[in-house]
Amino acid sequence: LLATAGEPTDFFAIITKIADGRNGPVFLARPTDDKSEVASERLVALKRIDVAAHPRPKELASALAGRRTLQRASAAAPFLDAYYVRGELWVASAFVAGVNAVQLAATAADAAAAAGEEAEDRRGRQRLVCAVAGYVCRAIVEAVAAMHSAGVAHGRVRADRVLVGAGGEVRLVGLGRCCVLGASGTGEATAATRDIVAIGVLAAGMVGAAGNGWELDGADGGGGGGFVELVERTRARAGANAADFVGRCLASVHGGQRPAGALAAMLQHPFLSQDTALKPLDFAKLIEDTIH
């Protein structure tokens, strides 16, 4: 499993449990060599996984290989280390504080809706929601492009794996499905392209065109019908720019363009530049309102 020998508690002191993940609990911890009184930057998220009970144990090895590849490629990678002890895999990652994209988009929609129902108010609401979605999606396109350049696909780009901090920083977390491109039969055209398609679904969800139950799996229906419907819903909710961005992301699965080229083109899209309509103070308030 490419895990480090040793007990995780030899390296980290657990503070409290912060979540019950699908495959095991997540704890907030601090390195045992940390002597500072205030050390929020060194807080660690420790996830405990029962390997025997995991529905896809081979996927654990693939994800761990992907995380280690990212760790070597970028000092900013959140993965720190992994430990295998008595049938349990403990994964240590840098703790990231923030709200997820679902919560942020909902706050933006609520704030915009409070403006009223006149035509100009509705246009303002659309601009605000699209600006927030464009700001977040641009950061995610850049993050996924960096991962692909390092030879790793994320594998599960979703709104609940996108965290936005109080200062507006955007982090892509949840690397449990990541994999090394080309390893074990994982082709660039499948894993990496799937990341790009998922960014389109993320954008549609943030502007209210895809509900929380809208899943990427099987949405294409074999002929693009589900994708076409999603693009049209995006157009109705957020206008032509948002619909075109979502459509280009979804079309990458059929378009034949290599993922690296598709992502480079995405960064030039006007939908990702709409944050110019979002004043920094307005954005900071959205974050604060979402947290509280």
Side-chain angles (χ1 to χ4, degrees), residues 138 240-246 248 264-274:
R138 181 177 183 84
N241 271 343
D244 186 72
F245 176 77
V246 170
R248 288 175 185 270
M266 294 298 174
L267 286 172
Q268 309 305 316
H269 198 281
F271 177 69
L272 302 186
S273 302
Q274 291 186 82

Side-chain angles (χ1 to χ4, degrees), residues 32-105:
T32 52
D33 64 353
D34 191 348
K35 302 297 190 290
S36 61
E37 293 182 6
V38 180
S40 59
E41 295 122 17
R42 299 203 65 200
L43 291 177
V44 172
L46 270 179
K47 182 165 186 175
R48 186 181 69 203
I49 302 171
D50 184 338
V51 176
H54 195 279
R56 293 175 297 274
K58 289 184 178 180
E59 191 177 89
L60 286 175
S62 178
L64 190 51
R67 291 180 187 203
R68 289 212 180 278
T69 300
L70 280 179
Q71 185 184 38
R72 290 192 295 269
S74 171
F79 173 76
L80 298 175
D81 212 337
Y83 309 87
Y84 183 70
V85 181
R86 294 181 294 278
E88 294 180 336
L89 180 68
W90 291 74
V91 179
S93 304
F95 175 71
V96 180
V99 298
N100 70 46
V102 172
Q103 297 168 313
L104 183 62

Side-chain angles (χ1 to χ4, degrees), residues 8-281:
T9 50
D10 290 342
F11 306 95
F12 303 102
I14 293 177
I15 300 172
T16 185
K17 184 169 75 170
I18 55 176
D20 284 305
R22 180 177 297 180
N23 297 313
V26 181
F27 302 91
L28 184 67
R30 180 176 285 121
T32 52
D33 64 353
D34 191 348
K35 302 297 190 290
S36 61
E37 293 182 6
V38 180
S40 59
E41 295 122 17
R42 299 203 65 200
L43 291 177
V44 172
L46 270 179
K47 182 165 186 175
R48 186 181 69 203
I49 302 171
D50 184 338
V51 176
H54 195 279
R56 293 175 297 274
K58 289 184 178 180
E59 191 177 89
L60 286 175
S62 178
L64 190 51
R67 291 180 187 203
R68 289 212 180 278
T69 300
L70 280 179
Q71 185 184 38
R72 290 192 295 269
S74 171
F79 173 76
L80 298 175
D81 212 337
Y83 309 87
Y84 183 70
V85 181
R86 294 181 294 278
E88 294 180 336
L89 180 68
W90 291 74
V91 179
S93 304
F95 175 71
V96 180
V99 298
N100 70 46
V102 172
Q103 297 168 313
L104 183 62
T107 302
D110 290 345
E117 291 300 326
E118 297 298 327
E120 182 57 34
D121 293 330
R122 289 196 298 272
R123 284 192 292 270
R125 176 170 53 198
Q126 182 186 88
R127 285 194 298 270
L128 177 60
V129 172
C130 286
V132 170
Y135 176 92
V136 171
C137 287
R138 181 177 183 84
I140 296 306
V141 169
E142 291 173 343
V144 171
M147 290 185 71
H148 290 182
S149 294
V152 178
H154 185 277
R156 200 67 170 173
V157 178
R158 295 193 327 197
D160 58 355
R161 280 144 171 92
V162 176
L163 294 181
V164 185
E169 63 277 11
V170 181
R171 295 289 296 271
L172 181 59
V173 298
L175 296 173
R177 293 281 188 92
C178 76
C179 61
V180 177
L181 293 173
S184 304
T186 302
E188 182 184 40
T190 53
T193 300
R194 185 181 177 85
D195 281 351
I196 300 174
V197 173
I199 292 172
V201 176
L202 169 67
M206 289 197 70
V207 299
N212 292 339
W214 206 96
E215 289 290 341
L216 179 59
D217 298 323
D220 187 15
F227 287 172
V228 170
E229 181 185 353
L230 187 62
V231 170
E232 291 310 309
R233 288 208 303 269
T234 302
R235 189 185 313 280
R237 293 296 297 265
N241 271 343
D244 186 72
F245 176 77
V246 170
R248 288 175 185 270
C249 289
L250 302 184
S252 65
V253 76
H254 299 302
Q257 187 178 20
R258 291 178 66 82
L263 286 170
M266 294 298 174
L267 286 172
Q268 309 305 316
H269 198 281
F271 177 69
L272 302 186
S273 302
Q274 291 186 82
D275 59 290
T276 54
L278 191 64
K279 297 177 182 178
L281 289 177

